[in-house]
Amino acid sequence: MGLIQLERLGESKDGYLSFFEAARHIPFEIKRIYYIYDVPINAKRGMHAHKRLRQVLWCPYGHMEILLDDGREAVAYTLDTPDKLLLVEGQWRDMYWRQPGSVLCVAASDYYDEEDYVRDYDEFLRLVKEGYWSDER
Ligand code: T46
């Protein structure tokens, strides 16, 4: 879990390029990519955890804050440059849009499955207490 700083190749006169590679930067096989956009400023999304799904988040344009809560403490991460990846594995997540036009991209370890979502915070805390994610975090 946490931020991965990507390389930033280039210089200001003609711009930069960042990249990430399967297996080298991402600790799972990517099966799905999705992106969230046209979100009003200060809107909050997320408010769930995943049972099995692993994800990396990055913001190719804009500024957003991601609050990751493992049931014991919550840590706020800022995605405001395209050269940062945030690895999320099992934590409760809240996402806040801070700049117009911000785009959040997600690469995920599996296909969409609503059964994998925990959308009730009390259920999330119960699963934490049972040690549901203890191997992974
Ligand atoms: C996550 C955060 C970072 C689909 O049908 N297919 C998909 O691949 C996805 C991701 C969502 N959906 C449906 C499910 C809902 O009816 O799209 C609707 C919006 O999803 P949700 O309210 O879960 O969106 P966010 O922005 O709160 O959360 C999303 C992802 O769902 C979630 O996996 O971790 O981004």
Side-chain angles (χ1 to χ4, degrees):
M1 159 188 142
L3 275 182
I4 300 167
Q5 181 64 50
L6 299 173
E7 283 186 71
R8 189 179 167 90
L9 303 176
E11 47 190 300
S12 58
K13 71 176 171 55
D14 49 11
Y16 296 91
L17 180 152
S18 294
F19 65 91
F20 56 90
E21 297 180 334
R24 293 194 174 143
H25 296 91
I26 311 297
F28 55 82
E29 185 192 345
I30 296 169
K31 289 199 178 161
R32 176 168 52 116
I33 291 182
Y34 59 90
Y35 28 93
I36 304 166
Y37 50 93
D38 285 349
V39 177
I41 291 302
N42 295 325
K44 179 182 177 184
R45 298 185 62 109
M47 296 161 284
H48 62 261
H50 281 282
K51 292 178 187 156
R52 306 301 319 164
L53 194 71
R54 306 172 79 192
Q55 293 152 296
V56 288
L57 280 52
W58 73 100
C59 175
Y61 177 81
H63 181 160
M64 61 192 58
E65 283 163 33
I66 315 287
L67 196 67
L68 296 184
D69 176 353
D70 67 4
R72 295 174 191 89
E73 65 169 344
V75 179
Y77 294 91
T78 301
L79 294 180
D80 58 353
T81 56
D83 57 359
K84 289 182 205 167
L85 284 183
L86 181 63
L87 180 60
V88 183
E89 303 179 283
Q91 299 88 6
W92 186 270
R93 79 282 323 260
D94 295 327
M95 297 113 68
Y96 298 89
W97 262 249
R98 300 301 193 205
Q99 182 183 316
S102 299
V103 178
L104 180 65
C105 292
V106 182
S109 64
D110 215 336
Y111 306 116
Y112 174 71
D113 175 11
E114 188 58 37
E115 293 295 305
D116 189 67
Y117 284 69
V118 181
R119 293 194 185 271
D120 179 85
Y121 191 71
D122 289 337
E123 187 195 348
F124 168 71
L125 290 180
R126 186 181 58 74
L127 290 170
V128 169
K129 219 169 173 180
E130 284 174 3
Y132 190 87
W133 291 283
S134 54
D135 297 346
E136 295 153 38
R137 301 190 286 185

